[in-house]
């Protein structure tokens, strides 16, 4: 893309139209970009043209800050954080960049003067869905906080051509279609064709002795691809720091394979390029990995090797010796997806830089830190040895060597405990043999952390217990957080204004300042304004729901919301059992005095997860029956929002009255939606799971609706021969609900459709829905009672926001900086 070079406003006050922040500069820049980048003028410009003209206008101002940031970092040569993550869910960029740069108002006015509505351009943006859920969104919150805290940081990942699938609901069922997010181009990214690296795969290794008599290894790959950098600037709030999200796109090593081409094999040459590109083609749409997928291992190796080679390139420019790599960079592994980095860094140091093993291992073990995000056994990544051998033969050799040295140490420490060595080994020897990526990550990292207190505790007691006994000093907790810029200021401007007016500015980057709200919790006038803010967001959501689903919902009803990936452990079906319970109560007594509720669901199921898909069907089936039932008379409404995303979340979180965080205790590592809801004044109904425990501690037990078994009780119940039948037989309401589902009532008489779900609940119920049912229903009854008392409810809502400060990702990132990364802020002045 070429842009003309007229950077000074003609006849103006000297403000550049590339960098000026005034309404006038922005207006001129917009028209300039519309004309010279899009080749359009106002009268014929499409929405896409206008959106892009504005995006380029904002991007110019980002690049200005970016250049200053790079200059600053070049001079200061600071220690730098590298975040390695296979997933990012940054959400749409326009609104946030305007907000972070502080030019929302002049931009709105500039566009208004041209007859353009800023909100329509913001709404037009399609977000990059380069992640599955919480893990990818956490990475995006961390980028926001790193830049805001002025920490030198780069986030590395994969630029999937197709992100998470688009979810349609047809006849109540999830239907997946591809997410062609790049179809209209992406104005936020900058391609860097000159920053690219070789990626080898397959083949074999050759061991030899060089002229100096030193042992050397050469990896002779079967194929070589290239990874090319595509950069997105990430601006902090109210600072000049622009960090980098650098995503890798796979290409053929040479655009066309000239050998094949010269042989006359034109199609073969083109095909090879097409095949290379498949590496970064599509995100695996699974919250827990499907084991043994070749392309997935390739993707992991692909982005890890490009990222490490990129760090080494930067490191060379500092003039520091490679033995000090770990002083320049600290690399965080976002779960085990990038854990191959431990072997890859060893390979680069041994085979390319010819360090001896001990020095290479010292550097490696001081470079990496590992975050674990799940206790679910099915989510712990393992790779079959033959697959690993065929794709990464050199890495497997290195892993064997790491493992053998490690196991020697273990045997020395525990000479009479051979089982322990087996349990700790990187190789799972039960046939077929596997590489355990979590073990590689633990052994190769200097720090290991969980994402909430309870989760970190359970890690030490269960899945990583042997590692904890070996190296207790490595283990830490870093409770997750979310960014208040996107999830409060941007998505809830009414709340933002009320907070500014009440507390002044500053809370956005120091969320503990929200404590100042406590003083207003009982003030009737303040309470009234608080309710108005909520009411306004509920009306706005009602408009979206109408647009997306054609369902009319009532803003005076209680909005009871559960948005997150669909998974049995998250128990969307427990929520359904409550809805059907209320439905039965109304059917038994249509005159029942009941608090009107709107139940809102959203979330995707992994395409191959049959039970989760069945839960989506049941939600929609219940919606169909309940919404049109005359006896219900609109007192209950059920909505399933299709294609939940960051963008949709921004409508949903601010509008919620109740946030459902009802996972089986011990299963949800942290949760982050729980924080977004609470920040927007929703009250939580939840179990003692993940970060719920800490949220409840902070907002106060009296401002949180707690129910259910705790993690200990869950393990005991399961260990002592849990019998869901007993609960079914002992509780008439529960029995009625299950019987109604089993009867085919929600399936037009088809008794077979939901049979697998009913059978699973009655026979196994591994997530203990029936054990928690009675307590959940009683707790929901308390929710209704509380909602009838607006003063009490509003007070609880205000106190939730007042005491949620800890859950800002700024706090989380400050802890990572202090306890793990040992990095300092490096403020940036604008050139
Ligand atoms: C998620 C966890 O399930 C969730 O509890 C947590 O809040 C989030 O990560 C961020 O830490 N994939 N997604 C997760 O874990 C894995 C693995």
């Amino acid at each position: 893309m070429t842009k003309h070079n007229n950077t000074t406003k003609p006849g103006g006050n000297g403000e550049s139209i590339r960098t000026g922040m005034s309404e006038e500069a922005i207006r001129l820049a917009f028209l300039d970009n519309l004309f010279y980048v899009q080749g359009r003028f106002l009268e014929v410009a499409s929405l896409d043209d206008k959106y892009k003209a504005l995006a380029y206008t904002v991007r110019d101002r980002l690049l200005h800050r970016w250049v200053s940031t790079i200059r600053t970092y070049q001079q200061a040569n600071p220690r730098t954080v590298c975040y390695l993550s296979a997933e990012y869910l940054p959400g749409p960029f326009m609104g946030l960049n305007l907000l972070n740069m502080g030019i929302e108002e002049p931009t709105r006015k500039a566009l208004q003067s041209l007859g353009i509505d800023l909100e329509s351009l913001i709404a037009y943006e399609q977000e990059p869905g380069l992640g599955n859920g919480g893990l990818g969104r956490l990475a995006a919150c961390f980028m926001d906080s790193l830049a805001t805290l002025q920490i030198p940081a780069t986030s590395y990942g994969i630029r999937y051509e197709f992100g998470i699938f688009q979810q349609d609901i047809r006849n109540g069922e999830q239907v997946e279609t591809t997410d062609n997010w790049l179809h209209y181009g992406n104005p936020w990214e900058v391609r860097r064709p000159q920053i690219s690296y070789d990626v080898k795969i397959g083949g074999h290794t050759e061991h030899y002795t060089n002229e100096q008599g030193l042992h050397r290894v050469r990896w002779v790959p079967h194929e070589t691809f290239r990874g090319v950098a595509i950069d997105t600037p990430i601006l902090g709030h109210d600072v000049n720091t622009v960090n980098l999200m650098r995503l890798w796109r796979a290409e053929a090593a040479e655009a066309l394979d000239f050998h094949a081409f010269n042989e006359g094999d034109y199609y073969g040459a083109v095909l090879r390029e097409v095949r290379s590109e498949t590496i970064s083609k599509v995100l695996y749409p699974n919250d827990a990995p499907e084991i043994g997928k070749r392309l997935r291992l390739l993707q992991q190796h692909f982005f890890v090797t490009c990222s490490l080679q990129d760090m080494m390139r930067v490191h060379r420019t500092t003039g520091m010796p490679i033995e000090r790599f770990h002083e320049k960079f600290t690399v965080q592994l976002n779960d085990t997806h990038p854990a191959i980095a431990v072997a890859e860094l060893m390979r680069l140091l041994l085979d390319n830089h010819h360090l001896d093993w001990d020095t290479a291992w010292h550097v490696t073990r001081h470079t990496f830190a590992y975050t674990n995000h799940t206790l679910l056994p099915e989510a712990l990544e393992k790779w079959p040895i033959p697959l690993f051998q065929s794709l990464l033969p050199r890495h497997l050799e290195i892993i064997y060597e790491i493992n053998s040295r490690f196991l020697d140490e273990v045997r020395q420490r525990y000479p009479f405990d051979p089982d322990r060595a087996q349990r700790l080994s990187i190789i799972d020897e039960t046939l077929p043999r596997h590489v355990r990526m979590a073990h590689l990550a633990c052994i190769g990292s200097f720090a290991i952390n969980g994402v909430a207190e309870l989760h970190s505790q359970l890690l030490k007691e269960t899945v990583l217990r042997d590692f904890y006994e070996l190296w207790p000093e490595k283990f830490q907790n870093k409770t997750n957080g979310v960014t208040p810029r996107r999830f409060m200021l941007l998505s809830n401007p009414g709340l933002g204004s009320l907070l500014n007016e009440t507390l002044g500015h500053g809370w956005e980057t120091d969320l503990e300042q929200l404590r100042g709200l406590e003083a207003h919790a009982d003030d009737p006038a303040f309470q009234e304004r608080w309710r108005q803010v909520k009411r306004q967001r509920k009306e706005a959501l009602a408009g979206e729901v109408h647009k997306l689903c054609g369902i009319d919902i009532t803003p005076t009803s209680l909005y009871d919301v559960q948005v997150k990936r669909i998974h049995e452990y998250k128990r969307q079906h427990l929520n359904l059992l409550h809805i059907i319970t209320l439905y039965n109560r109304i059917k038994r007594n249509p005159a029942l005095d009941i608090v009107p509720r709107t139940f809102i669901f959203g979330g995707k199921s992994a395409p191959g997860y049959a039970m989760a898909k069945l839960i989506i069907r049941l939600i929609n089936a219940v919606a169909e029956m309940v919404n049109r039932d005359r006896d219900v008379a609109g007192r209950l409404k059920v909505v399933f929002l299709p294609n939940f995303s960051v963008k949709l979340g921004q409508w949903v979180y601010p509008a919620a009255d109740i946030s459902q965080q009802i996972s089986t205790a011990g299963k949800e590592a942290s949760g982050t939606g729980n924080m977004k809801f609470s920040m927007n004044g929703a009250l939580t109904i939840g179990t003692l799971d993940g970060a719920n425990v800490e949220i409840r501690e902070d907002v106060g037990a009296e401002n949180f609706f707690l129910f259910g078994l705790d993690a200990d009780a869950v393990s005991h119940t399961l260990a002592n021969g849990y019998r869901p039948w007993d609960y079914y037989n002992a509780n008439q309401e529960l029995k009625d609900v299950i019987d109604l589902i089993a009867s085919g009532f929600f399936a037009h008489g088809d008794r077979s459709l939901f049979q697998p779900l009913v059978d699973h609940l009655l026979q196994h119920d591994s997530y203990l829905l029936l054990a928690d049912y009675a307590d959940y229903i009683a707790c929901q009854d308390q929710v209704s009672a509380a909602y009838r008392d607006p003063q009490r409810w509003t007070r609880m809502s205000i106190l939730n926001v007042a005491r949620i400060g800890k859950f800002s990702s700024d706090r989380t990132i400050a802890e990572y900086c202090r306890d793990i990364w040992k990095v300092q802020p490096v403020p940036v002045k604008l050139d």
Side-chain angles (χ1 to χ4, degrees), residues 65-74 240-243 828:
R65 286 156 182 76
W66 188 359
V67 168
S68 301
T69 307
I70 294 169
R71 285 233 173 89
T72 308
Y73 292 175
Q74 265 175 350
N240 295 315
T241 301
V242 170
N243 282 333
V828 174

Side-chain angles (χ1 to χ4, degrees), residues 555-736:
T556 49
S557 66
L558 187 166
Y559 284 11
D560 181 333
V561 187
Q562 190 173 21
V563 287
K564 48 182 77 239
R565 285 298 287 251
I566 311 294
H567 203 296
E568 288 165 279
Y569 84 77
K570 296 178 188 277
R571 300 199 294 191
Q572 280 91 355
H573 44 342
L574 178 58
N575 186 345
L576 279 174
L577 297 185
H578 171 240
I579 298 172
I580 301 170
T581 303
L582 293 182
Y583 178 69
N584 282 343
R585 286 181 187 171
I586 291 179
K587 291 306 275 184
R588 270 198 305 275
N589 173 15
L592 191 70
D593 180 19
I594 190 171
V595 172
R597 284 208 201 206
T598 302
F599 295 92
I600 297 170
F601 292 86
K604 293 174 185 178
S605 155
Y609 187 173
M611 192 60 89
K613 287 188 137 176
L614 198 56
I615 292 173
I616 293 180
R617 280 201 90 162
L618 185 55
I619 296 170
N620 284 298
V622 170
E624 195 191 326
M625 296 305 287
V626 168
N627 292 354
R628 68 156 191 236
D629 193 300
R630 282 168 189 274
D631 288 339
V632 173
R635 287 173 293 174
L636 303 178
K637 279 271 167 75
V638 182
V639 171
F640 188 94
L641 287 171
N643 205 35
F644 187 68
S645 60
V646 177
K647 197 172 173 182
L648 239 187
Q650 290 177 204
W651 290 99
V652 171
Y653 300 117
D657 294 307
I658 276 285
S659 151
Q660 297 241 16
Q661 308 299 336
I662 60 177
S663 51
T664 315
K667 301 289 183 197
E668 188 72 271
S670 164
T672 44
N674 44 7
M675 303 165 188
K676 296 166 198 167
F677 280 110
S678 191
M679 274 182 191
N680 283 281
L683 307 185
T684 305
I685 180 164
T687 49
L688 282 179
D689 200 15
N692 293 354
V693 177
E694 292 158 75
I695 292 175
R696 177 168 172 271
E697 249 165 46
D698 279 18
V699 303
E702 66 287 4
N703 301 308
F704 186 106
F705 295 98
L706 178 70
F707 76 95
L709 301 175
D710 65 15
D712 273 348
V714 165
S715 339
H716 286 128
T717 307
L718 287 173
N720 297 334
Y722 171 52
R723 289 161 33 127
W725 264 101
D726 296 348
Y727 291 88
Y728 168 84
N729 286 320
N731 187 318
Q732 190 59 44
E733 277 200 310
L734 173 59
K735 190 166 183 305
D736 290 344

Side-chain angles (χ1 to χ4, degrees), residues 488-551:
M488 298 181 77
L489 262 188
L490 183 65
S491 48
N492 201 344
L495 180 63
S497 305
L498 181 56
L499 295 178
N500 287 340
E501 219 179 282
T502 313
L503 306 169
H505 280 284
W507 60 271
E508 319 88 299
T509 49
D510 177 13
L511 211 60
E512 290 290 350
Q513 289 186 22
L514 293 176
R515 291 266 171 196
L517 287 174
E518 286 192 27
H520 306 269
D522 292 308
D523 171 357
F526 186 79
Q527 281 207 348
E528 188 47 42
R529 296 194 57 194
W530 193 264
R531 282 190 291 267
Q532 272 168 19
V533 167
K534 180 63 76 181
R535 175 64 189 256
Q536 199 259 330
R537 288 336 288 164
K538 290 174 78 172
E539 279 164 10
L541 180 61
E544 282 303 296
V545 168
H546 183 84
K547 261 202 282 188
L548 292 169
C549 318
I551 299 176

Side-chain angles (χ1 to χ4, degrees), residues 438-471:
H439 291 216
L440 180 61
C442 286
I443 296 164
S445 297
F446 65 85
I448 301 165
N449 76 281
V451 290
E453 292 284 356
L454 174 66
H455 170 234
S456 296
Q457 195 52 42
L458 292 173
L459 267 184
K460 296 192 280 190
E461 290 168 9
T462 62
V463 283
L464 299 182
R465 178 174 173 171
D466 292 317
F467 284 103
Y468 176 63
E469 285 173 7
L470 194 58
W471 297 312

